[in-house]
Amino acid sequence: MQAKEPRKEWEWLIRRPAEAESSGATIYHLISVDLALEYFRMLGQKVVALSVEEVLEKIEKLLSPKHRQLLNDLPRKFYTAAWAPKDYSEHLDILEDATKAVVYQNVVKMTYKPAGGEPHELKVRPLTLLYHKGGFYLVGIASTKRRPVYFNIERIQEMKITAEKFEYPRRYHPEQMLDGAWGIFTGPAETFRLKYAPELSEYISSRHWHRSQKISREKDGSVVLTLNVTDSEELRSWIRSFGKQVQVLP
């Protein structure tokens, strides 16, 4: 007997139900669109040339009354609860230009004010618009640098898209920058062994905290989480958030 291939993750979500085969656009297509455009909803309608609502309105005309009702219920059935997101109402122009420059691979000129520093002019090849813990960061290579760095969007005071194009680096991937990082702050990796109280064992062991993690269970019901990550304030703040229920082991 030939073994069945394992079902791919999310395959159930994108396959067509038999009852919808005759429709040019199924509710499953709309779910895919809705999830894909969630990112652009966070940017605001001004960033995308055609708003999410306009896209869905055009598709809605192709649907049966039954599927139209399903469409209207999607915002309640698939919902993102962002924790403490930053307010970008005063930075929409910057976000719009950054998005266009990333998509079309245009070099940008911008005025950037680093934390505790003075504003200065930069010429940057924008590679990625990164969303992390409620905030947007532009990943790019400045003309004075050889490697990509992070630029906090709200610290970009001015941005101008130039006509100069650049070739997107074939070997670049944002994951490379995050390798060893806890969050987005990178540096030399160190080993941390964190022992959590038994009441937190299920919470800690059921989550993927970092690609380097190793979890072991102790006889008393506690768990030890071992990480090989950058020592940063973001990491230390996360450890402190558990109070007396976590112990940093030597």
Side-chain angles (χ1 to χ4, degrees), residues 195-202 216-223:
K195 183 177 181 179
Y196 291 88
E199 53 266 33
L200 286 179
S201 62
E202 183 176 351
S216 60
R217 294 184 178 274
E218 304 296 300
K219 293 182 179 180
D220 62 356
S222 62
V223 295

Side-chain angles (χ1 to χ4, degrees), residues 127-128 139-141 148 168-177:
L127 303 177
T128 302
V139 182
I141 303 177
Y168 203 83
R170 298 295 180 186
R171 296 183 179 181
Y172 160 79
H173 196 286
E175 283 188 354
Q176 297 169 341
M177 297 186 63

Side-chain angles (χ1 to χ4, degrees), residues 15-54:
R15 73 181 191 277
R16 284 190 178 188
E19 65 182 39
E21 284 294 336
S22 60
S23 174
T26 73
I27 197 65
Y28 288 84
H29 292 143
L30 294 177
I31 292 173
S32 300
V33 171
D34 190 67
L35 294 176
L37 292 179
E38 180 66 25
Y39 170 77
F40 292 103
R41 287 195 186 98
M42 293 185 294
L43 295 180
Q45 292 185 7
K46 189 175 181 181
V47 177
V48 288
L50 195 61
S51 71
V52 174
E53 288 76 13
E54 289 173 326

Side-chain angles (χ1 to χ4, degrees), residues 4-173:
K4 293 183 178 180
E5 293 185 5
R7 176 176 293 180
K8 295 181 180 179
E9 190 175 8
W10 298 107
E11 181 182 338
W12 64 272
L13 184 62
I14 61 175
R15 73 181 191 277
R16 284 190 178 188
E19 65 182 39
E21 284 294 336
S22 60
S23 174
T26 73
I27 197 65
Y28 288 84
H29 292 143
L30 294 177
I31 292 173
S32 300
V33 171
D34 190 67
L35 294 176
L37 292 179
E38 180 66 25
Y39 170 77
F40 292 103
R41 287 195 186 98
M42 293 185 294
L43 295 180
Q45 292 185 7
K46 189 175 181 181
V47 177
V48 288
L50 195 61
S51 71
V52 174
E53 288 76 13
E54 289 173 326
V55 171
L56 295 181
E57 283 177 6
K58 289 179 179 292
I59 299 177
E60 183 180 4
K61 295 178 181 179
L62 303 174
L63 299 176
S64 66
K66 175 184 176 181
H67 282 162
R68 287 179 187 174
Q69 183 57 50
L70 290 175
L71 172 63
N72 292 332
D73 291 337
L74 280 183
R76 294 186 295 148
K77 293 182 176 180
F78 298 91
Y79 185 75
T80 299
W83 185 82
K86 294 183 179 181
D87 180 10
Y88 286 98
S89 58
E90 297 182 1
H91 304 279
L92 290 180
D93 288 339
I94 299 295
L95 274 171
E96 181 176 8
D97 287 344
T99 301
K100 289 179 180 178
V102 167
V103 171
Y104 295 109
Q105 298 169 214
N106 287 85
V107 174
V108 299
K109 291 182 178 180
M110 65 187 196
T111 303
Y112 188 74
K113 184 183 184 306
E118 295 297 323
H120 58 278
E121 303 292 325
L122 288 170
K123 190 175 182 181
V124 177
R125 287 176 286 165
L127 303 177
T128 302
L129 197 57
L130 174 70
Y131 187 72
H132 174 66
K133 287 190 174 180
F136 283 100
Y137 299 82
L138 178 65
V139 182
I141 303 177
S143 57
T144 56
K145 304 288 184 180
R146 297 183 60 183
R147 296 183 178 180
V149 294
Y150 298 108
F151 298 100
N152 198 324
I153 285 292
E154 64 260 37
R155 296 189 181 279
I156 301 176
Q157 297 181 341
E158 293 183 30
M159 177 179 287
K160 179 181 179 181
I161 301 176
T162 72
E164 182 181 351
K165 297 283 188 177
F166 68 93
E167 184 177 351
Y168 203 83
R170 298 295 180 186
R171 296 183 179 181
Y172 160 79
H173 196 286

Side-chain angles (χ1 to χ4, degrees), residues 202-218:
E202 183 176 351
Y203 174 76
I204 294 298
S205 60
S206 65
R207 293 175 179 256
H208 181 76
W209 300 102
H210 192 266
R211 68 184 67 184
S212 68
Q213 74 180 43
K214 294 181 180 179
I215 297 177
S216 60
R217 294 184 178 274
E218 304 296 300

